[in-house]
Structure formats: C-alpha cells, structure tokens
Amino acid sequence: MSKAIVSSLYDSDVFRMACRQFDKAADAINLPDAIRDRTKYPKRCLAVALPIKRADGSVTVFEGYRVQHNLSTGPSKGGIRFHQNVTIGEVAALAMWMSWKCSLVGLPYGGAKGGVIVDPNQLTPTELESLSRRYMQEMVNFVGPHTDVPAPDVGTNEKIMGWMMDTYSNHVGHVEPAVVTGKPIALGGSQGRKEATGAGVAYLAKKYLEDLRIPVAEATAVVQGFGNVGSESALALAGYGMKVIAISDYTGGIYNPKGIDLPKAQTYVQYQRVLRDFDGGEPISNADLLELNCTVLVPAALERVITDQNAGRLKCRVLAEGANGPTTNAADKIIEERGDIEVIPDVLCNSGGVIVSYFEWLQNLSSFYWDRDEVMRKLFGILDKAKDSVEYQKRKFKFSRRLAALTLGIQRVADAKECRGLFP
Ligand code: NAD
C-alpha cells in the first residue's frame, strides 16, 4: 500500500477540489496504489521574488510561481496567471487539470501552470512589462521549448507572451519562439490562437445542442467573464446563431433579452478596460447572471463560481465550462442528481486553447506556418475525436461526463508513468 507523505504546501480549497476529482476518477478506474500518488501530485515547483521599479521610483517585490505537475509525457504546458488572489495551491490545481486536459485530447505534453500575485490593472504598461520580463528571467532555467512551455491565462495576454519570448531569446542568444505560445502573430504566434479557446467552447456547445436536438438558432447563451475566453466564446456562439443575452466581468454584468451587441461590447472594453456602465442592457450581478434562464451557460472567469449554493437554481440546459474548475465538487453532485443539465467539463470544453498552442509550438519548431483554415480544421477535428472518446467512456462505464473525461486523461498519464518507471 503506497501512501504519499506530502506537506501542506499546496493546501487550499481549489487544490483539495482537484485532488477530490482525481481520487474519484482513480477509484473509478481502480488505479493501482503503486501509481496513484505519483500521478496525482505535482512533480516540482519554483517560487520566485520579482522586484520591479515602479513609476514613482520605488521598488516593489511581487511573488511568482511555476508548478510543473507532470513531465512524463512531454514538456509541460500551461498558462501564466496575473491575479491578486493567486496562491501556489491554485497554481498547482490548475497545473493538475492541464495534465488531464493535454492527455485527454492526445497532446504530447504534461501539465503546468504559473502565477504572480498582482492585480495587473494596478500597474502602468511599463511596470507590467518589467514584471513580465522579470518573471521570465527568473524562469529561464525552469522552462524551455522541450521542458515547459507557458501561455496566457487570466490577466496575461499575447503582448505579455511577446515580452516573455523576447526575454528568453535574449538570454539564450537566439530567437526561440517555441518557449511560449499565445504570442503575437508577428513573433511566431499562430493564426487562430487568440480565439481558439472560445471557438472550441462554442463549437462543443453547438455539437451538444445538436445531440440534444435543440435548434442552435433558437438557443440563448449567458457568458460570465468577458476576457479572452468569454468574449471569444460569446462571439463564436453568436456566430452559430445563438442569442447571447448576458455577459459580465469582475465589475458586474449586462442583461439584454433581445441579445447583446457583442462587437459594441468588445469595442467598449477595448477602450474602457471593463464592462462597467456599458449601456447595452440592464445591469445584473454576477450571482444573478449565473441563474438566468438560458440554453447555454458559459462560466469563463475564475474557478469555484458554481457551488452548492446556486447549483440547484441554475436554469441552463448545457453548462459549457470555459473557465478551469468553475464547478465545486458539491455543486457537481447536485447537478448530477438533477440530471437535467449537460455538463461539458473544463478539461474538454476549454481544451481548444492548448490544442492551438500545440499547433503554435509545432509551427515554431518547424518554422513552417499554417493558415487559419488549416488551424481551425485541425482544431475541430481533435475536439470531435475527444468528444467521441468521452461519450464512449461515459456510455461504457455509466460515468458522468466529467468522470469520463478525467478517467481518460488520468489513465493515459498513469500508463506513461508506468512504462517509464519511477524517475519522471
Ligand atoms: P482574462 O483575464 O482574459 O479574462 C478574465 C475575465 O474574467 C475578465 O473579463 C475579468 O473581468 C473576469 N472576471 C474576473 N473575476 C471575475 C469575477 N469574480 N466575476 C466575474 N468575472 C470575473 O482570462 P481568460 O484567459 O479569458 O481566462 C478565463 C478562464 O478561462 C480562466 O479560468 C482560465 O484558466 C481559463 N482558460 C483560459 C485559456 C486561454 O487560452 N486564455 C484556455 C483555457 C482555459
């Protein structure tokens, strides 16, 4: 009987939530004790102090992390989050989910994640650049095209990835675009990467509506979070003919039963940075928004927003998890018992981002670039295959869709570890 001897380093609500998901999946597939703990726990992490000079001449030290959960199946892969509530436990949970996600969709990657405790909205553009470059400078010996490949997440974007790629390249003495993905096209970014996560969310939501025989043109959608994933999901859902009736960001939401003017909202956010005071509908709180009557609900902000407090009151038909970990274990149980909501679990639903990140990395390593049609065709092909494998697993073992997705992802990582032995 193996038993991990672990510290409380990662202990947090969100890490415990990811561990409970893992335990449930490991039990469901009878994962042997000998392989369990080394599949479950992160392989290694780095915590760094990041001093930067402020606009007023003072110096502030920020704290940053990178957690590499699994290095057995290829370089690790995962975004970098800039947010005031980042903890190493949250980063570890996100790294764990990246492992199952990459494995589920068949990418030759392990999972990783990074984070810095900072509210990027409080930094000047110059301070943001200094912090981004400083973070990569501290990570130079920990990441790399064949070790660990970061990407954008909450609070980071393609501009930041460009600064990080430049910092790494300057350090190694040659241009190394494959060290991060989600870069500007001018620096080797992929066509379609910016919209990939949202495009994947919307594509899968449409596919599940078709399975349910719900006409897409009669469907309504509600999207929480209007950053990269939320805004691109909303636009792509609308592109399929759905009416997006509510959107939100951390300043609150907008509800319009006639449909939100999304390009107008996007332009507004481009200039105002937030949705606050956008006049495209009635104001609505984030809590009320999640309980709106709609066909498709897309949480696309932070984790743990669907809880045992609101799960019983959701009024959607499809819950498309654009965010990572938006549904707590307790909420998951309530939704399962209700049986009237189709959940597209995060590891499947938002995998479009890492799939096109993989394409970007391939293009960088081969210096051969694809057009957008090719990127999108290949993305939807991988999503179709992953969806089919999840549905097959779900039917075969009478699992929930989340359990089906997690067991597939976890099994493949465990198999690779079994083949390789104890070291990786
Ligand atoms: P982002 O920073 O571009 O956008 C985040 C959005 O969420 C912003 O509109 C912000 O205002 C909003 N938000 C923050 N706190 C909120 C709150 N308490 N209530 C409501 N809205 C809030 O980040 P993103 O890249 O779009 O990531 C969103 C989610 O999608 C995260 O869970 C992330 O891990 C996940 N994800 C991102 C990608 C990617 O490619 N960027 C890929 C897969 C999954």
Side-chain angles (χ1 to χ4, degrees), residues 81 94 101 113 152-155 193 197 224-230 248-250 286 300-302 322-324 350 353:
R81 180 170 293 194
L94 291 162
K101 188 185 306 178
K113 208 81 182 191
D153 190 74
V154 173
R193 174 61 186 88
T197 313
Q224 183 191 51
F226 204 66
N228 174 277
V229 179
S248 73
D249 67 10
Y250 76 91
N286 266 292
L302 298 175
N324 286 305
N350 67 38

Side-chain angles (χ1 to χ4, degrees), residues 154-184:
V154 173
T156 56
N157 54 28
E158 57 179 29
K159 200 168 185 184
I160 291 176
M161 294 305 115
W163 290 327
M164 290 191 177
M165 173 272 197
D166 179 66
T167 304
Y168 186 89
S169 298
N170 289 336
H171 183 87
V172 295
H174 59 264
V175 178
E176 192 55 272
V179 67
V180 292
T181 57
K183 300 177 293 291

Side-chain angles (χ1 to χ4, degrees), residues 44-104:
R44 59 188 187 181
C45 66
L46 183 63
V48 289
L50 306 166
I52 63 155
K53 188 168 259 182
R54 308 301 297 264
D56 64 3
S58 66
V59 171
T60 306
V61 180
F62 294 91
E63 188 164 298
Y65 312 109
R66 185 80 186 161
V67 176
Q68 295 170 357
H69 176 264
N70 157 36
L71 294 152
S72 304
T73 47
S76 51
K77 189 89 192 74
I80 298 170
R81 180 170 293 194
F82 282 6
H83 193 274
Q84 59 276 19
N85 297 338
V86 159
T87 66
I88 195 165
E90 178 189 49
V91 176
L94 291 162
M96 199 194 273
W97 287 321
M98 281 306 293
S99 284
W100 318 143
K101 188 185 306 178
C102 292
S103 169
L104 170 66

Side-chain angles (χ1 to χ4, degrees), residues 107 181-183 185 188-200 203 240 351-364 366 368-384:
L107 305 182
T181 57
K183 300 177 293 291
I185 304 266
S190 178
Q191 298 289 340
R193 174 61 186 88
K194 194 161 162 283
E195 59 269 41
T197 313
Y203 180 77
Y240 288 128
S351 63
V354 72
I355 293 169
V356 177
S357 273
Y358 168 59
F359 297 162
E360 182 172 328
W361 180 76
L362 287 179
Q363 293 170 75
N364 294 153
S366 61
F368 183 76
Y369 287 83
W370 315 347
D371 63 29
R372 192 175 182 282
D373 286 352
E374 187 173 1
V375 168
M376 289 308 187
R377 188 168 37 79
K378 288 189 160 114
L379 165 64
F380 296 147
I382 292 181
L383 289 176
D384 282 337

Side-chain angles (χ1 to χ4, degrees), residues 306-312 328 330-331 334:
I306 298 170
T307 66
D308 52 356
Q309 299 300 305
N310 60 7
T328 65
I334 293 169

